[in-house]
Amino acid sequence: MTRSLPAVLWLTFVWVLLWGTFSPASIVGGILVAVLVTALFRLPPATDRLPVRPLPVLRLALFLLWDLAVSGAEVSWQVLRHGPRASGAIMAMPLISSSDRVVTVMANALSLSPGTMALQIDHDHDVWYVYALGPRDQAGVERARRRVVDMQRRVLAALGSPGEQAEAERVLGRMS
Amino acid sequence: MIDPVAIDIVSAVLLLTGAMSCLLGALGLVRLPDLPSRMQAATKPQTLGLLLILAGTALRVELESAVTLLLVGLFQVITAPVISQLLGRSAYRAGTVRRELLVVDELAGKMPEERSS
């Protein structure tokens, strides 16, 4: 019960927002529905604990918002400038985390970053395959690679272990 | 109290920029060459446009309705990546990715085979 408490709180929050009224009825109704949902649809227990770092998480959220704005502009530019002749690249990139939840956040962050999305995640070899729209030559591919690692570094700053953070810096250092 | 005209102007700018971004996303769906690149147009300018339009709308409605708009934005940002990843890998498997438009393809031959039953 205590383990599903965050889920219950979150679901209640969403429920109240959906109703759009902050009345006792909507809050109690929300709690009932949340308890029912978490009891009926059990999530597998998370084996790892994520660190709580409010400030880096906030920084990550702001960065992602900014990334999305840049992203919209860049993809629009590709549409206008190159259109049917737009080129892309599929790159094998190191996946610098073994935590399922961190990888989920990374994949989500990646699809908000300019022109990129995850095509395939190979957890066994810690590699993921990233599609990027925009690179026209090898130099462009290298730029896109750096961006992917830099994004991972930012996610790890908020959610990763010190070891993973050091690994991200190392990979980034090797690229420059 | 903030000047209502100022709110109207900010809201109008947000709505128009958002609409512009959505239009560019739609244009991308038509102009870009293959599925993964079109997914970029469908997810990025589109999401940005939606968020801007939501922000512009939020300024003009009552607070209670504005909070519901927050949920719309949140779900868009959370769900779009999942769909784009699923579609992307299906497209790669199905061979609808235009290989000649890729500068590099490091996934070639690495995609695990579908098990035929």
Side-chain angles (χ1 to χ4, degrees), chain A residues 17 79 88 92 108 111 116 145, chain B residues 31 44 67 81 85 103-104 106:
Chain A
L17 285 190
V79 170
N108 244 309
S111 30
T116 50
R145 279 188 211 277
Chain B
R31 268 176 68 87
K44 271 121 215 191
V67 178
Q85 199 246 328
V103 181
V104 290
E106 294 173 349

Side-chain angles (χ1 to χ4, degrees), chain A residues 70-86:
Chain A
V70 175
S71 204
E74 253 182 45
V75 173
S76 299
W77 172 247
Q78 287 291 329
V79 170
L80 296 175
R81 172 74 178 78
H82 298 294
R85 281 168 311 281

Side-chain angles (χ1 to χ4, degrees), chain A residues 8-74:
Chain A
V8 169
L9 285 178
W10 166 244
L11 287 172
T12 310
F13 178 65
V14 171
W15 178 267
V16 172
L17 285 190
L18 280 174
W19 278 97
T21 51
F22 303 93
S23 67
S26 73
I27 294 173
V28 171
I31 293 173
L32 284 178
V33 171
V35 168
L36 197 68
V37 168
T38 44
L40 284 180
F41 305 98
R42 294 210 153 276
L43 284 173
T47 46
D48 51 344
R49 294 196 67 83
L50 291 182
V52 183
R53 302 193 193 114
L55 207 64
V57 168
L58 185 71
R59 202 177 299 145
L60 177 67
L62 288 178
F63 170 73
L64 289 181
L65 215 56
W66 168 246
D67 229 14
L68 179 64
V70 175
S71 204
E74 253 182 45

